[in-house]
Amino acid sequence: MKKIILSTLAALALSSTAYADVIKVGVVGPFSGPFALQGKNFKAGIDAYMALNGNKVGNDTVEIIYRDVPAADPAQSKALGQELIVKEKVQYLAGFYFTPDAMAVTPILKQGNVPMVVMNAATSAIMNTSPFVVRTSFTTWQTSTPIAKVAFDAGVKKVITVVSDYGPGVDAENAFKAGFTKAGGEVVQAIRMPLSTNDFSPIMQRIKDSGAQGVFAFLPSGPTTLGFVKAYNDNGLKASGVKFFAPGDLTQESDLPALGDAALGIQTSFHYAVSHDSPENKKFTEAAIKAIGNKAELSFPAVGAYDGMHVIYKMIEATGGKQDAQKAVDAVKGLSWVSPRGPVSIDPESRHITQNIYLREVAKAADGTYINKEVQTFEKQGDPGLAAAK
Ligand code: PHB
């Protein structure tokens, strides 16, 4: 009798392992080099989601495979995307900090039968390059449109725009200009800098010489955003009364200690602040801080990754773990949930995330740390850049 029970148990164990699959998710991001902290935030968001929700969807086990693309490097991103699909047989691709790295991989999604969940890259046009892309981050059109009105309402009528010369920078420039001129303001000059620019003194001189009352800036978050805001403070622009406006990439929380009191009062607009006051964000930040190991390092890519995992889990659920990119993507069109950033949904047409955009001000919290304090909410913002990107 004992023998029969044992062999039945063994057979059961065998059959359950036979039906349970490992579902691989390939995550591409900057995990080394100057932007490593941004990749570390991807991982913290993913770890937080899996710590709170487990690593299983039904009987299937989710396994994350990381690949490092330290900078905007489309050739390397494409090679790694191919390797993940062909050799590792991932069912999902995710991550993608820089727009060119995402754009290099979207053309192979259809053939690979693999959806891509963009956890950061923020150029509107990415969505038009493949029907298998879903995005849980933001676009620079989405984040830069509200701040244009804020700048005009603050009495600033002449602005100079300064952006990194690539997808999200050009989008940010166009978004700000559209909103600011519609309000009645004038963009007196538009500077586009190479992505590699890290000496900002000549730019600060051009801002001074332009006679603008304010500057609007976009650079991808990382060492250069810190350098840019420092240069604005150190070159006397702030002291001379030139007002600073930007999306929140320029004041990510991990940069604030290095900027210090000089950053106090800077206004930015963005989809997420680590200090966002909600039960969902409390739960998220506790888990993400545990994952990243240091509260001061937590920043916005973590929330894009956390929500990206939510979308992937829903896709796995809807397909019963089978590889079917179309079915997976269709299943999350219109999906809505409460993110740590606030209420969100996946727009069924664009597959981009609809969300609140917050106006924030750099402030000191009661415990002496610097935060992006939310002061105004622009509810349920879609992506105004989609029409422009078509
Ligand atoms: C992008 O390359 O799309 C990108 C990177 C960093 C940001 C925003 C956009 O902060």
Side-chain angles (χ1 to χ4, degrees), residues 97-99 120-123 138 166 168 218 220-221 249 300:
Y97 189 69
F98 291 104
T99 289
N120 189 69
T123 303
F138 59 96
Y166 80 124
F218 169 82
S221 266
D249 313 72
F300 67 92

Side-chain angles (χ1 to χ4, degrees), residues 128-142:
N128 296 338
T129 64
S130 166
F132 298 107
V133 186
V134 177
R135 176 159 48 197
T136 56
S137 51
F138 59 96
T139 67
T140 48
W141 264 96
Q142 196 175 29

Side-chain angles (χ1 to χ4, degrees), residues 316-389:
I316 296 172
E317 206 176 283
T319 50
K322 302 256 162 20
Q323 186 159 2
D324 186 338
Q326 189 65 63
K327 193 173 178 185
V329 170
D330 285 347
V332 298
K333 288 178 181 170
L335 181 72
S336 63
W337 70 100
V338 182
S339 155
R341 69 187 94 172
V344 298
S345 62
I346 300 297
D347 180 83
E349 219 182 293
S350 67
R351 293 160 276 109
H352 175 70
I353 194 162
T354 300
Q355 59 192 332
N356 294 343
I357 298 296
Y358 305 91
L359 177 66
R360 312 97 45 81
E361 241 171 59
V362 178
K364 233 178 204 170
D367 65 359
T369 58
Y370 295 99
I371 59 168
N372 286 303
K373 185 172 191 268
E374 290 170 3
V375 292
Q376 195 182 333
T377 305
F378 302 88
E379 281 180 8
K380 279 199 183 167
Q381 303 290 300
D383 180 18
L386 279 174

Side-chain angles (χ1 to χ4, degrees), residues 260-277:
D261 281 357
L264 288 174
I266 287 185
Q267 288 195 326
T268 58
S269 49
F270 218 30
H271 61 301
Y272 178 66
V274 173
S275 59
H276 181 72
D277 185 14

Side-chain angles (χ1 to χ4, degrees), residues 234-304:
D234 298 347
N235 283 261
L237 280 171
K238 189 179 181 216
S240 69
V242 176
K243 291 222 168 84
F244 186 90
F245 301 99
D249 313 72
L250 276 281
T251 61
Q252 66 168 337
E253 282 80 357
S254 51
D255 284 351
L256 296 180
L259 291 171
D261 281 357
L264 288 174
I266 287 185
Q267 288 195 326
T268 58
S269 49
F270 218 30
H271 61 301
Y272 178 66
V274 173
S275 59
H276 181 72
D277 185 14
S278 74
E280 291 79 16
N281 192 45
K282 188 168 184 292
K283 193 169 137 188
F284 163 70
T285 50
E286 274 171 15
I289 289 165
K290 211 184 247 177
I292 208 162
N294 175 2
K295 185 181 178 203
E297 291 191 338
L298 190 60
S299 177
F300 67 92
V303 88

Side-chain angles (χ1 to χ4, degrees), residues 178-212:
F180 197 59
T181 50
K182 191 171 157 223
E186 186 194 348
V187 174
V188 295
Q189 217 185 106
I191 299 177
R192 295 181 181 178
M193 320 169 269
L195 195 50
S196 57
T197 307
N198 55 25
D199 174 11
F200 300 112
S201 300
I203 306 271
M204 296 303 149
Q205 192 56 47
R206 286 175 69 185
I207 297 172
K208 267 188 210 161
D209 294 345
S210 75

